Amino acid sequence: NYLVDVVTAASPDVVATASRRFHDVRHVVGVTGGYKPGSFGAQAFANYSEERDYISRTVGLTATGDFVDKQVSPSLGYSYTWDTIGRTGTSYDVFSRPFDIHEISAGSTFVLNPTTVLVLGGAVALESGDQSKPYRYVPIFEPGVSVPIGASVEEVNRNRLPAKPLEQLPLDRQRFSLAGRFITRLGGKATLRVEERLYRDTWAITASSTDARYLVDLGSRLRVWPHLRVHVQTGASFYNRIYGATLNSDGSATIPRFRTTDRELSPMFGITGGGGVRYALTDPGGKFQLALFSSADALFNYY
C-alpha cells in the first residue's frame, strides 16, 4: 500500500496562534502478508513513512487462531516502531532525536450467537525517547501571576517572563489500554454497535472513550443511524495550565523540569454527536454493489 497525506495550515488541530502558513507532504509505504492454512495463522507487516521533519518505521507480527467452530478467535501481536524526530529545514545529521515503541496486544472475538459478536482486547505500549515537540515553546510566568482561560496572545505576552523555553516531556512512558466492542442485530431491522476503551499511563493520565451507533434499516436500500461519542480524561501529573518560574540575579531563569502546553495532556472532556445515512444504488443482494454514504457530526471539547 502507498499513501500520500497532504497537511496544510488549514488542517484541523494543526495551526496554533504562532504558526505561519505552511504545507507538508507525508509519504507512507507498507506491506502486509499472512498465511493461515487451517485453524492457526500469522500475519506480518511493515510500514515506512517520511515527511520533512519526521521518519517512522514499524514492523510487527500477529498470530491468530480459531476455536469452537470459529466462535472464539484469539490473537496475539507484537510491533516495534523506531522514529526519528527532526526539524524542518535542518539535516538529521545536525538535529535528530530517536523515539522507540514496543507494543504487545492481545484480544479475541467471540461469536455469542448468529446475530451477536463481542470483541475484547488489551495492549501495552512501552515508549522511550524524547517526544517533545521541537517547535512548541511554553510561556513562563512569575509565581502568583495568573491569566484567564482563553486569554488573548497580547495578554499572555504582557504577563509572561522573557524566558521562552521549549516543551520538555519525560523520556519514557508506559501505556495500558483495555477495549471492547459489542455488535448485535435487533429484530432484523436494526443493529446496535457499542465500543468502550479504558486507558492509563505512567504519566497519570486515566481516560475513558465510549462510542455508540444505532443503525436502522428503513428499507432494503436505506439505512440511517445516530452516533454518540464521549471522551473524558485526567491530566498528566506534570501538566499545569500556567507554569511558574523565577528570575535569577544573573538573568537566568529557574523553570520546571517538565512543561507543555499540549491540550491533549490536560484534563479534558469531549462529546461528539451526529449521524449518517447510506443508500444502496444497486440491488443489496447482488454481486456488484454501489451506494451513497453521508455523515455529519458536531464536536465539543473542553480542556
Side-chain angles (χ1 to χ4, degrees), residues 36-109:
K36 189 178 181 183
S39 297
F40 300 94
Q43 185 180 71
F45 62 91
N47 295 298
Y48 176 87
S49 70
E50 183 174 344
E51 52 197 289
R52 289 188 293 180
D53 60 355
Y54 206 103
I55 299 175
S56 181
R57 318 157 194 85
T58 300
V59 294
L61 179 68
T62 301
T64 60
D66 292 323
F67 301 91
V68 196
D69 294 329
K70 296 186 177 182
Q71 295 181 66
V72 180
S73 302
S75 65
L76 178 64
Y78 167 79
S79 67
Y80 173 58
T81 299
W82 67 104
D83 296 349
T84 302
I85 303 173
R87 275 180 174 270
T88 298
T90 302
S91 169
Y92 287 109
D93 295 331
V94 177
F95 176 87
S96 65
R97 294 199 301 251
F99 179 56
D100 299 339
I101 305 173
H102 297 270
E103 183 169 353
I104 301 173
S105 61
S108 183
T109 299

Side-chain angles (χ1 to χ4, degrees), residues 43-221:
Q43 185 180 71
F45 62 91
N47 295 298
Y48 176 87
S49 70
E50 183 174 344
E51 52 197 289
R52 289 188 293 180
D53 60 355
Y54 206 103
I55 299 175
S56 181
R57 318 157 194 85
T58 300
V59 294
L61 179 68
T62 301
T64 60
D66 292 323
F67 301 91
V68 196
D69 294 329
K70 296 186 177 182
Q71 295 181 66
V72 180
S73 302
S75 65
L76 178 64
Y78 167 79
S79 67
Y80 173 58
T81 299
W82 67 104
D83 296 349
T84 302
I85 303 173
R87 275 180 174 270
T88 298
T90 302
S91 169
Y92 287 109
D93 295 331
V94 177
F95 176 87
S96 65
R97 294 199 301 251
F99 179 56
D100 299 339
I101 305 173
H102 297 270
E103 183 169 353
I104 301 173
S105 61
S108 183
T109 299
F110 303 90
V111 180
L112 303 182
N113 58 52
T115 59
T116 304
V117 175
L118 175 65
V119 182
L120 298 175
V124 176
L126 309 177
E127 302 177 349
S128 62
D130 190 356
Q131 54 186 302
S132 308
K133 300 295 186 297
Y135 312 108
R136 178 174 285 156
Y137 294 89
V138 179
I140 300 295
F141 302 85
E142 290 185 355
V145 173
S146 178
V147 291
I149 295 176
S152 65
V153 177
E154 292 75 15
E155 185 173 1
V156 172
N157 288 334
R158 186 168 56 250
N159 289 281
R160 70 176 181 86
L161 293 171
K164 195 178 181 182
L166 282 164
E167 175 185 73
Q168 183 58 62
L169 303 176
L171 300 183
D172 62 85
R173 186 182 194 182
Q174 289 80 52
R175 301 172 180 256
F176 311 93
S177 63
L178 294 173
R181 179 185 301 153
F182 178 79
I183 306 173
T184 185
R185 188 72 171 162
L186 303 172
K189 292 187 177 181
T191 300
L192 175 65
R193 176 172 176 160
V194 180
E195 300 180 19
E196 173 64 29
R197 180 176 183 267
L198 301 175
Y199 171 87
R200 174 73 178 179
D201 65 24
T202 53
W203 290 1
I205 296 178
T206 301
S208 169
S209 300
T210 306
D211 191 284
R213 285 178 172 85
Y214 186 67
L215 301 94
V216 180
D217 295 334
L218 300 181
S220 61
R221 294 177 181 265

